[in-house]
Amino acid sequence: YNTEPAIRADIASTISATGTVEPEELVNVGAQVTGKIVSFGTDADGKSVDYGSRVKAGAVLANIDDATYDAEVRSAKAAKQQAEASILSAQANIKQANAKLKLAESNWKRAQRLFPQQAMAESEYDDAQSEYFAAVAAVLVAEASLAQANAQLATAEASLDKAQRNLDYCVISSPVDGVIIDRRVSIGQTVVSSMSASSIFLIAKDLKKMQVWVSVNEADVGSVRPGMPVTFTVDAFPDRTFQGEVYKIRLNATMSQNVVTYVVEVSTDNSDGVLLPYLTANVKFIKDSRKQALTVPNAALRYLPDASQIRPEHQAALTEAAGLRSGRERIVWVRDGSWPRPEKITVGLNDGIVTEVVSGNLKEGMEIITGSTVVSASETADAANAGSPFLPKPPHRRK
């Protein structure tokens, strides 16, 4: 008989899956203007910005050639000054038009008094009236010119703000404190800004807090819940087991070869900085666990002896064991001398190797049968007398 003892051990029921270690928060820094990279900034250690550099919020990451954008700023400033001059000119024209209107109004009033007294010619009366209405119109035209000049000033200021903002965009700064995961440009390379900003740097905000993005099969995702404890290992550190817990279950499932999976985010602490981004993780979601539980090998639950191998009084137990191949109630066979003896138990957690014994008369240290091999007496004798064919026969006394 092949036997293994019933032992006490820590056991856990788990769901196995694979995932990828990811920074908890990533910031993709891009360029909002088109131009050539002329230089990189310096990191927190005073070195040129590169892979793995630690940067502070507001630190300069790179500089884009700003000659064109500087010229646009100067042009916009000139346009603003021209608009301001137009406003001054329009204001002067309004004052001049008001003065002419005042004179025309006086002449028109005088003509209205003199013409009924036949003291003014009709042509002079018409001229005074025409000059008055023309002066009123001239004031309106001057005021319209002022409004137009104000609009030109607003347009010039907007153009200046836009040009200044584009000039400021030539200096690419870090929006957060973090570590540069990826640098995607080199000095001299031209970046092109289109509908989406071109990606230049990828910054991890805090590498002390990491996540594992795990693909969980649809058959297992129902057992996963937020806050569930998780253990995982990575190939880079095979002798270390990392701890974490389920943070979020994403609802956007993916299908590959008719297999539906869900992404589960697992949070883990990385204060020692051991975990690196994008490592492959072998993850186990712990559904339930027991400490120092009495366990038996799973092979013992599958073992069923032959009827000729057990005592007659245990034949009924053999029939019962054949019907209890699944469920909580099971029968295992304990070695009792040279005979198997049945023990009925109630099982609990199963980790794929051993199963927890919840109740029954099974005791720690009992030899549990996991399999058997039938060997005839002749085979046993032959095995005992067998020797190597390459060794000489031992000498013996001739009979």
Side-chain angles (χ1 to χ4, degrees):
Y1 296 103
N2 302 324
T3 62
E4 292 186 29
I7 61 173
R8 292 195 174 274
D10 296 341
I11 185 173
S13 176
T14 62
I15 299 172
S16 298
T18 58
T20 305
V21 178
E22 300 276 350
E24 191 173 57
E25 185 173 354
L26 282 175
V27 179
N28 204 341
V29 181
Q32 294 181 264
V33 293
T34 299
K36 182 174 66 176
I37 300 294
V38 294
S39 65
F40 289 131
T42 56
D43 59 15
D45 299 325
K47 299 179 181 179
S48 179
V49 170
D50 206 342
Y51 298 96
S53 295
R54 295 183 300 107
V55 294
K56 298 291 185 181
V60 176
L61 301 178
N63 293 284
I64 297 176
D65 185 12
D66 62 355
T68 302
Y69 302 101
D70 184 61
E72 290 178 355
V73 169
R74 294 198 302 270
S75 176
K77 288 181 178 179
K80 180 182 178 182
Q81 291 175 351
Q82 184 177 3
E84 291 173 344
S86 297
I87 289 177
L88 295 176
S89 176
Q91 290 174 344
N93 291 336
I94 288 176
K95 290 181 180 180
Q96 186 177 11
N98 284 329
K100 291 181 179 180
L101 174 61
K102 187 174 182 180
L103 177 62
E105 185 178 8
S106 298
N107 293 334
W108 170 236
K109 289 180 179 179
R110 186 181 302 111
Q112 287 177 325
R113 290 195 307 269
L114 296 178
F115 183 72
Q117 299 175 5
Q118 302 295 322
M120 177 181 286
E122 185 175 359
S123 60
E124 293 178 348
Y125 176 82
D126 293 339
D127 290 341
Q129 184 182 29
S130 176
E131 290 177 358
Y132 171 72
F133 289 129
V136 172
V139 171
L140 296 176
V141 171
E143 291 176 347
S145 297
L146 177 61
Q148 184 178 6
N150 285 326
Q152 291 175 350
L153 177 61
T155 302
E157 288 177 341
S159 298
L160 177 60
D161 290 343
K162 180 181 178 180
Q164 185 63 53
R165 184 63 61 88
N166 287 336
L167 179 62
D168 294 340
Y169 285 152
C170 291
V171 178
I172 301 173
S173 303
S174 174
V176 295
D177 295 347
V179 178
I180 293 180
I181 300 297
D182 193 9
R183 174 176 64 82
R184 297 168 177 170
V185 294
S186 301
I187 293 179
Q189 183 175 342
T190 300
V191 293
V192 179
S193 177
S194 56
M195 292 296 292
S196 59
S198 56
S199 177
I200 297 180
F201 297 98
L202 190 62
I203 300 178
K205 189 173 182 181
D206 187 5
L207 288 180
K208 293 183 179 180
K209 296 181 180 178
M210 304 288 277
Q211 288 185 338
V212 183
W213 294 358
V214 189
S215 295
V216 179
N217 192 285
E218 62 176 327
D220 297 324
V221 74
S223 301
V224 178
R225 61 187 183 279
M228 174 183 287
V230 175
T231 62
F232 64 94
T233 60
V234 294
D235 293 340
F237 308 99
D239 297 331
R240 179 170 176 179
T241 301
F242 299 89
Q243 308 293 325
E245 66 175 25
V246 176
Y247 171 67
K248 183 191 300 182
I249 303 172
R250 296 184 184 177
L251 301 181
N252 55 329
T254 59
M255 178 180 290
S256 176
Q257 297 180 351
N258 293 327
V259 177
V260 178
T261 58
Y262 291 82
V263 174
V264 177
E265 297 180 12
V266 175
S267 298
T268 184
D269 181 67
N270 190 36
S271 299
D272 54 2
V274 173
L275 291 174
L276 302 177
Y278 313 121
L279 290 175
T280 299
N282 303 307
V283 183
K284 289 186 177 181
F285 297 89
I286 302 176
K287 296 193 293 184
D288 201 357
S289 63
R290 300 283 189 274
K291 296 291 186 180
Q292 292 300 302
L294 183 63
T295 62
V296 295
N298 288 348
L301 302 178
R302 297 189 295 267
Y303 173 69
L304 197 64
D306 189 79
S308 61
Q309 295 176 315
I310 61 175
R311 292 187 175 96
E313 61 268 24
H314 295 151
Q315 293 296 329
L318 180 61
T319 304
E320 184 181 7
L324 296 177
R325 303 306 292 261
S326 62
R328 299 289 301 272
E329 299 292 332
R330 307 295 287 273
I331 291 179
V332 295
W333 298 85
V334 179
R335 185 168 182 174
D336 185 8
S338 59
W339 296 91
R341 186 183 77 246
E343 288 289 346
K344 192 171 185 179
I345 60 173
T346 302
V347 298
L349 298 183
N350 184 342
D351 67 356
I353 300 175
V354 296
T355 298
E356 174 195 15
V357 178
V358 177
S359 63
N361 296 324
L362 203 63
K363 303 297 182 183
E364 183 179 0
M366 285 186 174
E367 291 293 330
I368 312 300
I369 300 176
T370 59
S372 63
T373 304
V374 179
V375 181
S376 65
S378 60
E379 291 174 338
T380 304
D382 292 341
N385 296 329
S388 174
F390 301 103
L391 292 178
K393 298 295 183 180
H396 58 277
R397 187 180 301 272
R398 185 184 300 274
K399 295 184 180 179

